[in-house]
Amino acid sequence: MKVAVFPGSFDPITVGHEAIVKRAAPLFDKIILAIGVNSSKKYMFTLEQRMEALQACFKDYDHVVVDQYEGLTIEYCKKINAQYILRGLRIAADFEYERNIALMNRSMNDQVETLFLISQPEYSAITSTVVRDILRNGGDISQFVPESFPFK
Ligand code: ADP
């Protein structure tokens, strides 16, 4: 069984995340959307809200599930027997950052492969950070988050 972990903060989920997971859905037997919990980080949405938004977005995908974890992503993969980490690449800066993490993860555990999907151009400028800024300033985020997003 091919199991992939798509790790992230998803604060909040955007249409960019949604597109990556939908494109990856046919490639794996199971995809776990795993919210990494970092107790020293401040989030705009609570863990429960972020989980709810992910669940709502993929409610029609039986093999896409939502979970949370603390600590290293690679340890989480081992614990749940996932062989793949899925990540999205938007721009060159993503590549530099992701490459380091993927190489370090591989040195810690070479049984887990990191796979990347290149973001479609129309989504490559969309970040959770910008969506949070728009929300803070009272703007309309609907074009940047999934249709089912519960906290618009
Ligand atoms: P993190 O805090 O780990 O960066 P994010 O929730 O911001 O978590 O992102 C999780 C993954 O989704 C990362 O691989 C990121 O590159 C990818 N991603 C985020 N936004 C987009 C987008 N607009 N298009 C494609 N991939 C994206």
Side-chain angles (χ1 to χ4, degrees):
M1 184 146 129
K2 289 193 184 119
V3 180
V5 167
F6 187 47
S9 311
F10 305 106
D11 188 31
I13 180 175
T14 68
V15 285
H17 298 123
E18 178 185 14
I20 295 286
V21 175
K22 289 190 172 170
R23 284 166 60 199
L27 307 175
F28 299 102
D29 299 304
K30 190 171 177 184
I31 300 180
I32 299 161
L33 309 177
I35 304 184
V37 180
N38 179 344
S39 50
S40 63
K41 215 169 145 181
K42 282 252 175 285
Y43 300 100
M44 173 175 260
F45 293 93
T46 66
L47 180 60
E48 289 70 28
Q49 288 175 322
R50 286 178 282 149
M51 291 185 86
E52 186 185 336
L54 288 172
Q55 271 151 1
C57 184
F58 298 101
K59 63 176 184 320
D60 297 331
Y61 289 70
D62 289 343
H63 71 308
V64 177
V65 300
V66 180
D67 194 13
Q68 52 162 297
Y69 69 101
E70 263 178 82
L72 296 176
T73 307
I74 201 79
E75 292 296 328
Y76 172 72
C77 290
K78 193 171 162 189
K79 191 177 107 192
I80 61 160
N81 282 318
Q83 310 95 322
Y84 304 97
I85 295 174
L86 174 67
R87 298 287 284 179
L89 292 179
R90 286 162 292 190
I91 51 169
D94 277 355
F95 172 76
E96 295 297 338
Y97 174 76
E98 295 290 344
R99 175 180 182 273
N100 274 355
I101 296 179
L103 289 175
M104 292 190 63
N105 279 337
R106 202 178 155 76
S107 353
M108 289 187 278
N109 184 345
D110 66 6
Q111 303 299 301
V112 178
E113 284 291 357
T114 304
L115 299 178
F116 300 99
L117 288 182
I118 303 282
S119 179
Q120 290 150 263
E122 63 269 36
Y123 299 136
S124 63
I126 300 174
T127 70
S128 297
T129 307
V130 174
V131 171
R132 289 195 301 273
D133 279 346
I134 296 171
L135 266 179
R136 268 190 213 104
N137 291 289
D140 178 10
I141 58 163
S142 34
Q143 62 173 310
F144 305 120
V145 294
E147 276 206 36
S148 60
F149 190 71
F151 312 109
K152 271 183 239 182

